[in-house]
Every structure is written in structure tokens, then in C-alpha cells.
Amino acid sequence: MENIADSSPLTPHPSYTNFHATRRVESRNPAQAGPKGLFVTGTDTGVGKTLISCALLHAFTAAGNSTVGMKPVAAGCVPGQGGLHCEDVESLQRASSVRAPRELVNPYAFAPPVAPHVAAAEAGVTIDLKHIRHAYLALAELADKVVVEGVGGFRVPLDEFSDTADLAQLLDLPIVLVVGMRLGCLSHAMLTVEAIAARGLTLAGWVANRIEPDMERFDANLEALRQRIVAPLLGVVAFAPQPDAVRVARGLLLPLLSQP
Ligand SMILES: Nc1ncnc2c1ncn2[C@@H]1O[C@H](COP(=O)(O)OP(=O)(O)OP(=O)(O)O)[C@@H](O)[C@H]1O
Ligand SMILES: C[C@H](N)[C@H](N)CCCCCC(=O)O
Ligand SMILES: [Mg+2]
């Protein structure tokens, strides 16, 4: 993990004045402060949302919180004993300190590894955002911290009219953005930052995840995002053949999340 704790304060690019400035917070024990819930989104599918969600769960647990992960909508689940097995859900459950009912942790699971609104339609299921919110609120009663992992990127359709941004808005949680560092991520990251602001949501922080170790000019790309994203960079996660969420947790600057 590349340590950025002593990094220079983030100074937004002059042209980005329309974003609310995010105050650097002095480091406080996140066990006392910080958001109850977090919504983890990404620049795309396969960028490390599950890895970072699990790392956040481990970090909050290490800071003295009881924790539970949530995957409201999962696609690409595998039929198995007792129903569908979703790798994301099982990873989040392993990383949680509280064992919660599966129907709360993962209200909607679909087998086809496709866009969830397509999988839901094929299954004759309507994804009800209010049902997801009720499940989230029930989890919030069971643990100090709830980490909610989205699905794919920030605006993934969930039915004919709504998408995951509507879900994030309904849950009204601070957002953590996982940027999968590969060519093309700059635009995806900035569009997501813009969409989060347009919903009136708070970008609590972002993570640069090195999913492609041979990305050309990594440092210059990271600096471009640091200059433009007015939110704390919570960590730069190195590429690892077998990524370990507990190790990643140690490098996350959790105190930066503990905004009032
Ligand atoms: N820093 C990393 N180094 C090496 N492999 C990584 C890293 N981060 C993620 N991966 C791998 O990339 C794949 C996708 O990661 P992950 O499942 O966390 O993405 P995701 O955004 O949650 O995907 P989905 O949209 O399907 O939920 C996984 O196999 C994961 O182990
Ligand atoms: C199946 C995959 N691993 C994800 N869970 C679902 C990704 C949905 C992406 C939808 C889209 O933006 O095209
Ligand atoms: Mg995932």
C-alpha cells in the first residue's frame, strides 16, 4: 500500500469551483464519529467495490465498531445449495462483524451476469427501492456501521425508471467512489463525481485501486484526479495477485471519513 497519509492537502483544480469544498478533517477515532452508513460505488463493474467495501468493514471493525455489509442487488450469482450464491455477498458477510439475515444483506439476487434490470425482468421480479431502504434501516439497527456496495457503476438501471443513483439518493448515504485505475478511468471518475454532486449527495472519499499494474503514467493520472476530485483520497491500493481486504484496510485513511 502506498502511504499517502503525509500527502499534501488536496487543492481542487481552479476550474472546479462548483463543487462544495470538502474540509480536511483532523483525524478522530472513527469509532466515535463518521457516517453510520456508506454507499460504495465504482467507475465501472469489476473495479474493486467488493474489495474496498470489505476493507472498509474491516477498518471500521478495527476502530471499535460493529459492522455489517450490504449488497442490495447482485447479479452473476451461482445456483447452489439453499439458493443462489453470490460471491460479493459472501465476501461482505465474511468481512462483517455482525451476522445479519441474508434477506436483509442481499434483498435481490439474480443468476445471469448481466445488467440487473434485465436479470430482474427475466426473473419476473420488480426491484423495489423502498424495500431495499427498509432492509438497510433494519441493518442499521443491528450494527454501528453499514457498508452498502452498489452494483456496477453509479447509474445502473434497476427498473424502467430508476437506477442505482436513485437508490443512493433514497438511502441518502455518503458515497465512497472506487476508481479502477486504468486508461479511461479519468472521464468515468469525473462523470461519477459530477453525478453524485447532481444528486445532492456527499462524496465522502475516493480510492485509487490499481487493477491494472502496468497502467501507463499512473502517477500523472492519479495527480489529475487528486487535483479535480474535491474529496479525500482514502487510499491508493496496490495491485496484488491475491488481494487481501484486511491488508487493504490498514492503508485506508478512515479518519478522513469521519466528517460531522
Ligand atoms: N488491487 C487489486 N489487485 C488485484 N486484483 C484486484 C484488485 N482490486 C480488485 N481486484 C480483482 O478484480 C476483480 C474485481 O474486483 P471486485 O469484485 O472487488 O470488483 P467490483 O467492482 O466489486 O465488481 P462488481 O461490479 O462485479 O461487483 C476481482 O477478481 C478482484 O479480486
Ligand atoms: C454481473 C456484474 N459482475 C455486475 N454485478 C453487474 C454489472 C452491471 C453493469 C450494468 C452496466 O452499466 O452496463
Ligand atoms: Mg462487487
Side-chain angles (χ1 to χ4, degrees), residues 7-250:
S7 61
S8 59
L10 298 179
T11 46
H13 192 271
S15 62
Y16 283 75
T17 53
N18 58 328
F19 286 101
H20 63 277
T22 300
R23 282 184 302 108
R24 287 293 294 260
V25 290
E26 69 289 346
S27 64
R28 276 178 284 157
N29 179 350
Q32 272 75 47
K36 171 84 173 179
L38 283 174
F39 188 94
V40 179
T41 191
T43 46
D44 200 348
T45 182
V47 295
K49 296 189 299 297
T50 301
L51 176 67
I52 302 309
S53 298
C54 291
L56 285 166
L57 287 164
H58 287 302
F60 279 128
T61 301
N65 300 279
S66 58
T67 59
V68 67
M70 182 183 192
K71 178 80 176 184
V73 180
C77 304
V78 178
Q81 198 180 2
L84 287 174
H85 287 266
C86 309
E87 200 179 319
D88 284 10
V89 178
E90 278 139 32
S91 298
L92 291 168
Q93 286 180 310
R94 283 195 299 272
S96 304
S97 72
V98 168
R99 191 80 184 155
R102 177 65 183 252
E103 62 272 18
L104 296 181
V105 172
N106 177 225
Y108 295 100
F110 302 105
V114 299
H117 75 291
V118 174
E122 289 175 1
V125 170
T126 300
I127 295 173
D128 178 351
L129 272 58
K130 290 191 174 65
H131 175 64
I132 293 174
R133 183 168 180 272
H134 288 142
Y136 166 77
L137 293 173
L139 291 176
E141 291 296 315
L142 299 176
D144 298 323
K145 300 284 182 183
V146 185
V147 175
V148 182
E149 180 191 346
V151 52
F154 186 59
R155 290 214 55 189
V156 170
L158 295 176
D159 62 22
E160 208 178 335
F161 305 104
S162 55
D163 62 30
T164 43
D166 297 309
L167 174 61
Q169 203 166 13
L170 182 66
L171 297 177
D172 194 20
L173 298 177
I175 311 278
V176 169
L177 170 61
V178 178
V179 179
M181 295 301 289
R182 59 185 174 208
L183 187 60
C185 72
L186 300 182
S187 179
H188 291 173
M190 294 318 296
L191 284 169
T192 306
V193 169
E194 204 167 277
I196 292 166
R199 296 299 178 121
L201 294 170
T202 298
L203 179 59
W206 64 285
V207 175
N209 187 23
R210 299 201 66 167
I211 53 174
E212 281 190 9
D214 52 359
M215 177 185 190
E216 301 258 0
R217 313 294 193 281
F218 171 78
D219 291 340
N221 281 279
L222 179 68
E223 189 53 27
L225 291 175
R226 283 168 64 103
Q227 286 291 326
R228 287 164 176 79
I229 300 179
V230 184
L233 173 54
L234 303 177
V236 177
V237 178
F239 180 86
Q242 300 289 334
D244 174 354
V246 176
R247 275 176 61 85
V248 172
R250 290 193 201 111

